[in-house]
């Protein structure tokens, strides 16, 4: 492996982290990952990585984990599209905001070099008169409307990054859109939706659209931020804007399974989801929710991303969402997560 000093990665078991770790290993780097013993750590099984156990909410444990590393990718986050109960909201805050503060402080104290922090496109501002106007890094998050705890937490994550930069630390934010691709072990919301669609568990879909990023592209974005990103800056990484109908069309293409006939207007689905999410969040907080009010509000805005800054300053060149969907389908198919015997064999290997 190149060098003897490990690169440090949080969130290695998530969709982004699993793909990032594999890319770093392919590039010949030594990698140390921070894991929680109680979590599903399948994503790093069989990989030649250094494993340390702890929680980013624990500053002492984070300090121990970071000791001796050079270069930090902070990908760990509590991702959620629900309002949730009080305990859920506190968990989102502590994992995302306090956890980021601890990682940045531990990296600064350990003299671990540049830190690339994963941001969220949902924490980027937009044109209030025309939300579909491509949003760039200079647009401020608009707090005067109803937003999800996750969105608010990722805004505060960026504040923590700027505080660290003001203290002299080299920190860059890699802003991530909705990821699709392979190595999706947990799986992600999009991964579960693809599996449910192919297994005919998805009986309808909503209209709307969002920015999607191929796993390969967001990994490349993080590497570019580490190599060329300017301290205190954030860069948006997206592959393509797609409507939900177009995404469903790609699911149909790769799987051969016909799409559901019903497309529900987002306006109508929002009303139903408000009632369902209120009930589930309070009485069945662990029940997975797909079409949440927060997710539907984002889809209704048809938010578009302007990636010109990442292209201009970093040399970012996105691939295609069609290829990413093929990779995702192949990954889940070969893991036997696709249970429909009529589904097509994937065109690419997992």
């Amino acid at each position: 492996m190149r060098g003897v000093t490990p690169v440090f990665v949080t969130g290695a078991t998530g969709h982004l982290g699993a793909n990032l770790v594999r890319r770093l290993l392919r590039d010949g780097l030594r990698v140390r990952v921070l894991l929680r013993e109680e979590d599903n750590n399948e994503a790093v099984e069989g990989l030649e990585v250094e494993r340390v156990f702890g929680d980013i909410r624990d500053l002492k444990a984070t300090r121990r984990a970071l000791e001796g590393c050079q270069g930090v990718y902070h990908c760990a986050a509590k991702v959620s599209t629900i309002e949730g109960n009080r305990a859920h909201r506190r968990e989102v805050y502590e994992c995302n905001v306090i956890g980021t503060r601890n990682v940045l402080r531990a990296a600064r104290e350990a003299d671990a070099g540049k830190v690339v922090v994963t941001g969220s496109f949902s924490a980027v501002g937009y044109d209030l008169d025309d939300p579909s106007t491509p949003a760039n890094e200079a647009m401020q998050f608009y707090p005067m409307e109803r937003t999800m705890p996750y969105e608010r937490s990722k805004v505060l994550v960026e504040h923590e990054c700027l505080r660290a930069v003001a203290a002299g630390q080299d920190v860059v934010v890699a802003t991530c859109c909705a990821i699709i691709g392979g190595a999706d072990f947990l799986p992600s919301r999009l991964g579960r939706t693809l599996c449910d669609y192919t297994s005919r568990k998805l009986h309808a879909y909503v209209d709307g659209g969002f920015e999607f990023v191929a796993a390969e592209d967001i990994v490349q974005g993080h590497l570019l931020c580490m190599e060329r990103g300017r301290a205190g800056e954030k860069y948006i990484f997206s592959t393509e804007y797609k409507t939900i109908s177009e995404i469903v069309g790609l699911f149909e293409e790769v799987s051969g399974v016909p799409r559901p006939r019903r497309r529900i207007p987002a306006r109508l689905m929002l009303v139903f989801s408000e009632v369902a999410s209120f009930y589930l969040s309070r009485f069945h907080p662990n029940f997975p929710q797909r079409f949440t009010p927060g997710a539907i509000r984002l889809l209704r805005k048809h938010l578009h991303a302007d990636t010109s800054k990442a292209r201009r300053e970093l040399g970012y060149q996105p691939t295609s969402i069609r290829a990413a969907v093929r990779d995702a389908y192949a990954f889940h198919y070969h893991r036997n997560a696709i249970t429909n015997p009529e589904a097509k064999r994937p065109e690419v290997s997992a």
Side-chain angles (χ1 to χ4, degrees):
M1 289 189 177
R2 190 192 313 165
V4 295
T5 306
V7 173
F8 186 73
V9 180
T10 70
T13 62
H15 197 184
L16 166 59
N19 280 277
L20 176 61
V21 167
R22 282 159 175 75
R23 172 62 186 274
L24 294 171
L25 292 173
R26 286 198 301 270
D27 289 349
L29 296 176
R30 182 178 165 192
V31 180
R32 182 183 299 170
V33 299
L34 177 62
L35 308 172
R36 296 195 305 180
E37 293 191 72
E38 66 272 21
D39 286 352
N40 177 356
N41 295 315
E42 181 186 3
V44 297
E45 288 180 6
L47 299 183
E48 293 186 11
V49 295
E50 296 180 23
R51 296 165 176 78
V52 290
F53 292 91
D55 193 311
I56 56 174
R57 292 172 290 186
D58 182 339
L59 178 58
K60 290 183 179 179
T62 307
R63 282 171 170 154
R64 289 193 299 268
L66 255 164
E67 187 176 350
C69 290
Q70 190 64 213
V72 176
Y73 293 97
H74 176 42
C75 308
K78 174 70 176 179
V79 181
S80 171
T81 63
I82 66 172
E83 179 70 21
N85 55 24
R86 182 177 181 181
H88 174 81
R89 293 191 292 272
R90 179 163 180 170
E91 183 182 15
V92 169
Y93 173 78
E94 291 183 347
C95 288
N96 297 352
V97 183
I98 303 303
T100 297
R101 180 186 301 174
N102 288 342
V103 170
L104 292 172
R105 180 174 175 180
R108 187 165 61 248
E109 293 173 351
D111 197 20
K114 181 179 282 187
V115 183
V116 176
V117 175
T118 306
S120 172
F121 187 57
S122 64
V124 175
Y126 60 89
D127 187 321
L128 300 180
D129 297 315
D130 182 7
S132 66
T133 300
N136 61 45
E137 293 84 351
M139 291 182 170
Q140 281 283 3
F141 178 80
Y142 184 63
M144 307 302 178
E145 64 181 357
R146 184 179 172 189
T147 54
M148 295 179 286
Y150 174 73
E151 294 173 275
R152 299 193 293 273
S153 77
K154 295 303 277 188
V155 174
L156 293 176
V157 163
E158 293 188 12
H159 289 181
E160 292 296 331
C161 292
L162 292 176
R163 289 176 60 186
V165 171
Q169 195 168 4
D170 190 354
V171 184
V172 182
V173 175
T175 302
C176 181
C177 298
I179 305 175
I180 185 81
D184 188 8
F185 289 88
L186 291 180
S188 65
R189 287 174 57 84
L190 262 176
R192 287 197 305 272
T193 301
L194 173 56
C195 292
D196 288 347
Y197 170 91
T198 310
S199 301
R200 296 187 182 276
K201 296 178 181 177
L202 191 69
H203 304 297
Y205 61 97
V206 298
D207 55 16
F210 197 67
E211 289 283 346
F212 295 84
V213 64
E216 174 185 347
D217 290 344
I218 189 60
V219 166
Q220 183 66 16
H222 279 66
L223 299 181
L224 289 170
C225 282
M226 182 63 76
E227 180 185 354
R228 306 174 190 174
R230 294 184 290 128
E233 297 293 329
K234 70 177 179 180
Y235 300 88
I236 297 172
F237 298 101
S238 175
T239 303
E240 298 176 62
Y241 171 88
K242 290 288 185 184
T243 65
I244 299 304
S245 180
E246 289 171 331
I247 290 293
V248 169
L250 291 175
F251 289 177
E252 183 176 17
E253 177 184 313
V254 298
S255 69
V257 177
R259 68 170 64 202
R261 294 182 179 180
R262 286 179 291 176
R263 185 176 71 173
I264 303 174
R267 179 178 55 187
L268 178 62
M269 189 64 189
L270 181 61
V271 176
F272 170 78
S273 69
E274 291 281 10
V275 176
S277 187
F278 178 86
Y279 172 79
L280 291 172
S281 294
R282 282 153 183 79
F283 301 103
H284 302 281
N286 296 321
F287 187 86
Q289 300 180 41
R290 182 181 291 113
F291 297 121
T292 65
I296 294 170
R297 286 196 302 272
L298 284 177
L299 293 176
R300 290 184 69 188
K301 291 176 182 175
H302 294 273
L303 298 174
H304 286 63
D306 178 356
T307 60
S308 59
K309 180 179 177 181
R311 294 170 186 260
R312 182 178 64 253
E313 294 191 15
L314 307 180
Y316 173 61
Q317 296 181 340
T319 56
S320 81
I321 286 300
R322 173 175 274 103
V325 171
R326 286 200 303 265
D327 290 343
Y329 180 70
F331 175 80
H332 293 297
Y333 186 95
H334 290 297
R335 281 170 54 82
N336 298 317
I338 306 296
T339 59
N340 185 353
E342 298 179 359
K344 293 195 305 187
R345 287 190 61 84
E347 297 176 8
V348 296
S349 58

